[in-house]
Amino acid sequence: MATDQEIASRERLSYEIEVTPAFYDIDVMEIVYHGHYVRYLELARSALLAHFDYDYPRMRDSGYGWPVVDMRLKYVRPALFGQKLRIKASITEWENRLRIDYLISDAATGEKVNTAHTTQVAVDMRTREMCFVCPPVLWERLGVQP
């Protein structure tokens, strides 16, 4: 059972956005094409990292790139044209890699639509070498300890 402090910490490392699938997101089956969920995750991830003042330009300026090396999605129910979706992105790992968990739900009902997670690793932009421990700049931005 998670403590109140652990729950508060998880919430502090989370951020939510809303998206509304447009006509061009819909496939011939009249639902959101599965590939568009990747774009929705990117929107949420970008907003989450910007919330900590560590968006992609800041990452580059700090000397690190953070490529996505793994992505998993689980489709629970289809999303529809014009359906408002809430995407919650939560940082769940930050020591040796950056893992972000996602929950996509119907903004009106809260029904789960999709769950996902991405894993990113730090790459030294000067040497192009992968770092086996996240650089301290990430911990500083997030306000966490390794």
Side-chain angles (χ1 to χ4, degrees):
M1 186 78 156
T3 67
D4 289 343
Q5 184 177 4
E6 290 170 332
I7 293 169
S9 178
R10 278 198 301 258
E11 287 304 310
R12 191 188 67 71
L13 294 174
S14 297
Y15 197 77
E16 290 185 3
I17 65 167
E18 282 192 7
V19 298
T20 303
F23 177 73
Y24 56 78
D25 288 342
I26 307 306
D27 67 15
V28 72
M29 303 301 290
E30 299 182 3
I31 59 176
V32 172
Y33 169 67
H34 71 274
H36 289 301
Y37 288 91
V38 174
R39 183 167 37 91
Y40 301 161
L41 300 181
E42 175 63 25
L43 291 169
R45 181 172 52 252
S46 293
L48 171 66
L49 295 171
H51 176 70
F52 290 101
D53 197 27
Y54 199 54
D55 57 9
Y56 292 120
R58 288 276 201 188
M59 288 177 177
R60 180 195 60 229
D61 293 347
S62 75
Y64 298 96
W66 290 84
V68 172
V69 295
D70 187 42
M71 178 182 298
R72 310 276 172 105
L73 295 97
K74 179 173 174 70
Y75 300 93
V76 178
R77 64 176 37 89
L80 309 171
F81 169 72
Q83 178 184 17
K84 287 193 186 318
L85 301 173
R86 178 171 294 119
I87 306 169
K88 181 177 184 177
S90 303
I91 297 171
T92 57
E93 293 183 35
W94 55 80
E95 290 182 15
N96 300 318
R97 61 189 186 168
L98 179 61
R99 179 179 160 137
I100 301 174
D101 292 347
Y102 306 86
L103 172 62
I104 301 177
S105 57
D106 181 283
T109 66
E111 286 185 314
K112 186 187 304 184
V113 173
N114 179 301
T115 59
H117 74 261
T118 56
T119 302
Q120 295 170 253
V121 296
V123 172
D124 184 309
M125 295 298 289
R126 188 179 47 78
T127 64
R128 302 286 189 207
E129 295 288 327
M130 185 175 78
C131 303
F132 291 102
V133 175
C134 289
V137 65
L138 176 67
W139 304 327
E140 291 166 13
R141 294 290 179 188
L142 298 179
V144 297
Q145 297 297 316

